[in-house]
């Protein structure tokens, strides 16, 4: 049954692509997007950019970030699930908050320009998603940060030094419909290095549990 479901899902994605989503961002080497747009299992990556004419139809809500006075937007169901995840972790003494979530394509362009000017083109390309290829455009991806000893840990390098803490956080994700989007050791598949802070809402707890337990990426689940 699992194999039949995956086959049906792949055929559905392909059919929808051919009927209206075949035009993609002009990204070098990009493949046709097999994402089912406006679906919680949609795939967005370097190889599968959003269609050029993509319009986000998810309902976005405003959410607080860990930075005083700063807000972000998150897809509504993803945000509700995040609040449940946050509450469940707080029960065991772990506090998490939102660093960032939804970003428009234009905002991604500004981020890319900033990093290019500050750190150089090579560094920017390695660390920032090209506009049109970021999951943040959907509102389904959330960059989280933990609070340790009363202080928010917001620097990537510092979060990398908290493997035990993130192990517990990651084990709690599937129960709320989230997955760790860029796992360690899956760089060739996802196109990104390990990011313990980048979680992705897929809306299906059963699938989320399978992906996390079997260490399967979204690419491997949808495309293989």
């Amino acid at each position: 049954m699992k194999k039949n479901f995956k086959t049906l899902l792949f055929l559905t994605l392909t059919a929808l692509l051919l009927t209206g989503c075949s035009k993609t961002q002009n990204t070098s080497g990009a493949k046709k997007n097999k994402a089912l747009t406006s679906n919680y299992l949609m795939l967005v990556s370097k190889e599968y950019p959003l269609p050029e004419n993509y319009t986000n139809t998810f309902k976005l809500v405003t959410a607080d970030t860990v930075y005083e006075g700063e807000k972000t937007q998150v897809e509504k169901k993803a945000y509700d699930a995040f609040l449940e995840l946050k509450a469940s972790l707080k029960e065991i003494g772990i506090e998490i908050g939102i660093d960032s979530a939804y970003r428009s394509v234009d905002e991604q362009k500004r981020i890319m320009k900033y990093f290019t000017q500050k750190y150089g083109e090579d560094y920017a390309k390695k660390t920032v998603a090209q506009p049109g290829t970021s999951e943040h455009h959907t509102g389904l991806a959330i960059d989280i940060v933990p609070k340790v000893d009363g202080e928010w840990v917001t620097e990537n390098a510092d979060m990398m030094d908290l493997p035990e803490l993130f192990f517990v956080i990651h084990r709690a994700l599937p129960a709320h419909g989230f997955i760790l989007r860029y796992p360690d050791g899956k760089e060739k598949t996802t196109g990104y290095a390990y990011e313990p802070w980048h979680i992705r809402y897929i809306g299906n707890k059963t699938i989320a549990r399978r992906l996390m337990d079997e260490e399967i990426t979204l690419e491997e689940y949808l495309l293989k």
Side-chain angles (χ1 to χ4, degrees):
M1 286 298 293
K2 291 182 179 179
K3 183 176 181 181
N4 290 340
F5 174 75
K6 288 177 66 177
T7 301
L8 179 60
L9 176 60
F10 180 82
L11 292 174
T12 301
L13 298 179
T14 304
L16 285 170
L17 167 67
L18 294 174
T19 58
C21 299
S22 60
K23 193 176 183 182
T24 61
Q25 295 282 349
N26 184 20
T27 304
S28 178
K31 298 177 181 179
K32 288 184 178 180
N33 196 317
K34 290 187 174 66
L36 177 58
T37 53
S38 298
N39 180 284
Y40 292 109
L41 278 171
M42 67 187 299
L43 176 62
V44 184
S45 67
K46 293 177 180 179
E47 291 192 328
Y48 294 92
L50 288 166
E52 187 176 292
N53 58 352
Y54 172 75
T55 300
N56 192 336
T57 59
F58 288 117
K59 182 177 181 180
L60 300 175
V61 295
T62 301
D64 292 322
T65 70
V66 297
Y67 306 102
E68 187 174 354
E70 291 189 20
K71 306 283 186 179
T72 188
Q73 289 183 300
V74 189
E75 191 277 334
K76 185 181 185 306
K77 289 185 178 180
Y79 185 52
D80 290 342
F82 168 78
L83 293 178
E84 293 174 357
L85 170 66
K86 181 177 181 178
S88 70
L89 288 171
K90 194 169 185 178
E91 290 180 357
I92 58 174
I94 297 174
E95 187 169 358
I96 61 171
I98 297 176
D99 179 276
S100 65
Y102 171 77
R103 298 182 202 135
S104 67
V105 173
D106 286 340
E107 184 178 356
Q108 194 73 17
K109 289 178 180 178
R110 290 192 292 270
I111 293 173
M112 176 61 76
K113 182 178 180 180
Y114 171 79
F115 271 76
T116 299
Q117 292 176 340
K118 186 170 183 178
Y119 301 107
E121 185 176 356
D122 289 342
Y123 180 85
K125 286 182 176 179
K126 291 178 181 178
T127 57
V128 181
Q130 289 289 341
T133 69
S134 173
E135 285 195 322
H136 286 286
H137 298 328
T138 67
L140 299 174
I142 301 175
D143 287 342
I144 62 172
V145 290
K147 181 178 279 189
V148 177
D149 296 329
E151 299 290 336
W152 291 111
V153 181
T154 60
E155 294 297 325
N156 293 353
D158 294 334
M159 284 189 278
M160 287 292 194
D161 290 332
L162 301 170
E164 295 86 359
L165 177 61
F166 274 103
F167 175 82
V168 177
I169 293 173
H170 295 162
R171 296 310 301 169
L173 296 179
H176 304 280
F178 286 98
I179 60 170
L180 175 65
R181 184 64 181 90
Y182 306 126
D184 192 17
K186 296 287 186 173
E187 291 82 357
K188 291 183 179 180
T189 302
T190 65
Y192 292 97
Y194 174 51
E195 294 187 2
W197 54 83
H198 184 111
I199 65 175
R200 161 67 191 276
Y201 184 69
I202 64 171
N204 186 306
K205 297 176 184 179
T206 301
I207 296 175
R209 173 61 64 192
R210 181 188 171 196
L211 266 60
M212 293 295 291
D213 286 350
E214 298 182 18
E215 299 182 352
I216 300 171
T217 64
L218 196 57
E219 286 86 353
E220 290 168 323
Y221 179 79
L222 292 175
L223 304 176
K224 294 183 180 180

